[in-house]
């Protein structure tokens, strides 16, 4: 018969789709063997993870798990990124297997996905470009005011201090703005977010976009989880939560007197994070990874800064001036970022569903015009963690629906005044330090 005859006999048979059980998938969570599940499909990401734009560690943290909600949360253009998944497909979950692994709640997950669909229908993932343009404009305006101050009034102590505080404010606000572009929450096309992100974090702040991406996405994927969230990796300087101080105490680990960490926090936490630890880490990361593009952007910041202020302070004076600005900015950054996280549960991975894991690790600070500006809208940390690509000016709109979902499932939604949130940082450090001391002395 001709080609138009019985095609069933001559047609090439499609290979059977392999089925996997969760017990098998969970074995593939090693550094050199990583599978994950997205939408009941099983992918082998072992080789590809090194090419992942968000870094290989964020994928490794979900190896052996269902990563559907994390995958959807981080990628605004799902049709585009699914093209990269297609060659990695190795099979599907067996029909009798649940869609979620371990004890993750199917009911909460389903309700969360309905909530996200409602947010999409409300156009809450659409950015107001004028809002972000005004943010950039007020940052540039502060840089101009800083230069005019020292140019007109000279380099005396008073104009120097005023200039330093203005520039520290500009740096803090640029930090919040780069955070928006880094999360792909401004433009529909990821490419434009990446370009502007490099400009803001590189040219306006002297830092690295790739360093930030690789670090920050891990934090969002597994917030407050030891060995997965780099923001709770304290290099033995602090002990956090309840598990870590008890573990250190039982093992008689005493790198520092942790029962006084709520006191020495003021000396080595806010003052040194950006001027010392972050700056060293950023430079070493760019050089080690040969990230010449980010390095060029960072150099452009330093060239602009020193060409502006060396005529007033000289080379050594400008270096000291720059580090004083970073010292001021570091206080702002540490207090704002820690008030939402360090006071919450910090533990090993309990493999919760996306919604529950984010609520366990985050809390909010009450809304006001000042709080929104001061924190870059990170006072809505819960909503930001649930919907990391949502433009920050829309976070308050989804908050009532998030509260309702929490109430439905008996999950605590924490919201507090700004000053109380700041005080809770010290209370949390004191509590963890006392837990360490009790375990150190009595176990």
């Amino acid at each position: 018969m001709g080609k138009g005859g019985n095609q069933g006999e001559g047609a090439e048979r499609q290979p059977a789709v392999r089925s996997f059980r969760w017990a098998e998938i969970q074995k593939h969570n090693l550094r050199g063997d990583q599978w994950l599940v997205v939408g009941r499909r099983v992918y082998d990401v072992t080789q590809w993870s090194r090419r992942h734009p968000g870094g290989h560690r964020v994928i490794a943290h979900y190896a052996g798990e269902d990563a559907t909600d994390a995958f959807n949360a981080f990628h605004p253009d799902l049709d585009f990124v699914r093209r990269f998944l297609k060659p990695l497909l190795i099979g599907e979950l067996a029909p009798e297997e649940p869609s979620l692994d371990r004890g993750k709640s199917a009911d909460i997950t389903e309700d969360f996905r309905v909530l996200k669909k409602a947010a999409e229908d409300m156009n809450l993932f659409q950015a107001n470009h004028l809002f972000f343009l005004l943010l950039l404009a007020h940052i540039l305006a502060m840089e101009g005011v800083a230069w005019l101050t020292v140019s007109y009034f000279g380099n005396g102590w008073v104009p120097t201090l005023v200039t330093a505080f203005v520039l520290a404010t500009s740096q803090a606000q640029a930090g919040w703005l780069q955070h928006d572009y880094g999360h792909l929450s401004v433009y529909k096309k990821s490419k434009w977010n990446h370009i502007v992100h490099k400009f803001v974090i590189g040219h306006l702040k002297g830092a690295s976009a790739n360093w930030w991406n690789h670090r920050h996405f891990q934090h969002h994927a597994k917030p407050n989880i030891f060995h997965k969230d780099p923001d709770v990796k304290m290099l033995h300087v602090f002990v956090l939560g309840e598990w870590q101080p008890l573990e250190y105490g039982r093992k008689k680990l005493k790198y520092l007197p942790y029962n006084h960490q709520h006191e020495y926090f003021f000396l080595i936490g806010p003052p040194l994070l950006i001027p010392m630890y972050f700056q060293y880490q950023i430079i070493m990361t760019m050089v080690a990874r040969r990230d010449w593009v980010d390095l060029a952007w960072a150099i452009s910041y330093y060239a602009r800064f020193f060409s502006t202020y060396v005529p007033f302070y000289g080379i050594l004076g400008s270096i000291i001036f720059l580090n004083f600005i970073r010292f001021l900015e570091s206080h702002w950054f540490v207090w704002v970022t820690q008030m939402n996280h360090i006071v919450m549960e910090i533990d090993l991975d309990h493999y919760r569903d996306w919604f529950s894991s984010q609520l366990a690790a985050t809390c909010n600070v009450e809304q006001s015009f000042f709080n929104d500006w001061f924190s870059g809208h990170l006072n809505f940390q819960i909503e930001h963690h649930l919907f990391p690509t949502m433009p920050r000016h829309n976070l308050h709109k989804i908050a009532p629906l998030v509260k309702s979902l929490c109430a439905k499932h008996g999950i605590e939604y924490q919201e507090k005044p700004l000053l109380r949130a700041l005080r809770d940082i010290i209370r949390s450090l004191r509590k963890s330090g006392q837990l360490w001391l009790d375990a150190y002395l009595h176990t």
Side-chain angles (χ1 to χ4, degrees):
M1 296 181 67
K3 293 182 180 180
N6 185 358
Q7 297 181 11
E9 295 179 1
E12 183 178 345
R13 292 186 177 181
Q14 295 294 324
V17 176
R18 295 180 64 189
S19 295
F20 298 98
R21 300 184 68 87
W22 276 116
E24 170 65 18
I25 295 168
Q26 289 167 9
K27 296 176 183 177
H28 299 271
N29 65 346
L30 307 175
R31 185 172 183 177
D33 181 15
Q34 297 173 358
W35 293 5
L36 54 78
V37 176
V38 177
R40 295 190 63 86
R41 295 186 175 185
V42 183
Y43 299 92
D44 184 346
V45 297
T46 307
Q47 300 300 322
W48 186 82
S49 64
R50 289 282 172 181
R51 295 184 287 133
H52 181 232
H56 66 93
R57 289 188 178 91
V58 70
I59 289 183
H61 296 336
Y62 271 93
E65 288 187 61
D66 175 73
T68 304
D69 292 301
F71 178 83
N72 292 339
F74 292 135
H75 302 108
D77 190 347
L78 292 175
D79 291 334
F80 175 75
V81 294
R82 284 192 184 108
R83 285 187 270 170
F84 295 93
L85 278 182
K86 190 174 181 179
L88 311 177
L89 180 67
I90 59 172
E92 296 179 349
L93 282 173
E96 66 273 14
E97 288 289 287
S99 296
L100 301 175
D101 57 291
R102 299 174 173 89
K104 297 176 181 177
S105 172
D107 290 339
I108 294 175
T109 298
E110 180 61 29
D111 283 348
F112 170 70
R113 292 173 183 174
V114 171
L115 174 61
K116 185 175 183 183
K117 180 62 169 61
E120 292 169 349
D121 293 341
M122 294 165 65
N123 293 321
L124 297 186
F125 290 92
Q126 301 298 317
N128 181 340
H129 295 289
L130 178 61
F131 174 86
F132 291 102
L133 181 62
L134 291 175
L135 287 176
L136 177 60
H138 102 292
I139 291 167
L140 298 177
M142 282 187 281
E143 297 235 352
V145 168
W147 177 81
L148 287 173
T149 300
V150 73
S151 178
Y152 184 79
F153 294 103
N155 60 359
W157 281 104
V158 172
T160 295
L161 287 173
V162 170
T163 300
F165 276 93
V166 172
L167 287 175
T169 303
S170 172
Q171 285 291 290
Q173 291 299 317
W176 308 144
L177 185 61
Q178 68 81 22
H179 179 264
D180 297 314
Y181 290 102
H183 273 295
L184 313 179
S185 65
V186 180
Y187 298 110
K188 289 184 178 180
K189 289 189 175 295
S190 297
K191 177 179 70 173
W192 290 110
N193 284 296
H194 289 310
I195 291 172
V196 181
H197 185 217
K198 287 186 181 294
F199 167 77
V200 176
I201 196 173
H203 186 66
L204 296 185
K205 290 190 63 61
S208 164
N210 287 336
W211 166 83
W212 183 88
N213 286 339
H214 291 194
R215 180 186 177 93
H216 193 65
F217 290 157
Q218 291 183 74
H219 162 69
H220 269 268
K222 293 287 185 177
N224 284 12
I225 301 300
F226 288 119
H227 312 307
K228 295 185 177 182
D229 181 356
D231 286 3
V232 296
K233 184 179 180 180
M234 293 295 168
L235 305 175
H236 306 304
V237 176
F238 301 100
V239 289
L240 304 178
E242 296 184 1
W243 174 83
Q244 188 180 50
L246 292 175
E247 187 74 2
Y248 273 47
R250 294 187 189 107
K251 294 181 177 180
K252 306 303 180 186
L253 299 178
K254 186 182 179 181
Y255 296 96
L256 286 169
Y258 298 119
N259 53 310
H260 294 288
Q261 64 179 3
H262 61 287
E263 296 168 338
Y264 66 69
F265 170 78
F266 292 94
L267 300 176
I268 62 177
L272 301 181
L273 181 66
I274 290 180
M276 292 191 63
Y277 180 63
F278 273 6
Q279 286 305 302
Y280 171 80
Q281 195 179 63
I282 289 168
I283 293 171
M284 294 303 296
T285 299
M286 289 190 293
V287 173
R289 294 178 180 170
R290 299 182 180 180
D291 195 347
W292 309 130
V293 173
D294 279 12
L295 185 60
W297 277 112
I299 289 173
S300 75
Y301 165 79
Y302 289 105
R304 178 172 59 86
F305 181 88
F306 287 116
S307 65
T308 301
Y309 291 103
V310 164
F312 300 103
Y313 299 105
I315 296 176
L316 179 60
S318 295
I319 293 174
I320 296 172
F321 185 50
L322 174 61
N323 280 281
F324 179 61
I325 294 167
R326 297 212 184 282
F327 167 83
L328 296 174
E329 179 201 358
S330 188
H331 282 79
W332 191 328
F333 175 82
V334 170
W335 286 100
V336 168
T337 56
Q338 296 311 306
M339 69 183 182
N340 301 110
H341 290 299
I342 202 173
V343 300
M344 301 300 290
E345 178 186 301
I346 306 174
D347 206 342
L348 299 175
D349 199 346
H350 293 297
Y351 302 101
R352 294 185 176 103
D353 57 85
W354 177 260
F355 187 84
S356 300
S357 66
Q358 303 302 328
L359 265 295
T362 55
C363 66
N364 280 6
V365 171
E366 292 176 350
Q367 183 184 23
S368 71
F369 178 82
F370 175 79
N371 289 353
D372 291 353
W373 174 84
F374 180 70
S375 67
H377 288 82
L378 293 181
N379 49 329
F380 289 97
Q381 192 73 241
I382 293 172
E383 289 72 24
H384 169 60
H385 264 254
L386 291 173
F387 310 103
T389 61
M390 183 178 289
R392 62 158 115 159
H393 54 74
N394 287 333
L395 294 174
H396 74 280
K397 298 177 182 178
I398 196 65
L401 299 180
V402 174
K403 290 180 183 178
S404 297
L405 185 54
C406 286
K408 177 180 178 180
H409 292 283
I411 298 174
E412 185 178 10
Y413 182 101
Q414 289 196 37
E415 185 178 40
K416 60 187 75 170
L418 176 61
L419 293 180
R420 179 189 155 195
L422 298 176
R423 289 196 301 268
D424 282 351
I425 296 174
I426 305 305
R427 293 192 186 105
S428 175
L429 290 171
R430 182 188 291 113
K431 178 183 177 182
S432 296
Q434 190 59 48
L435 287 173
W436 168 82
L437 182 63
D438 291 343
Y440 186 85
L441 294 177
H442 304 301
T443 58

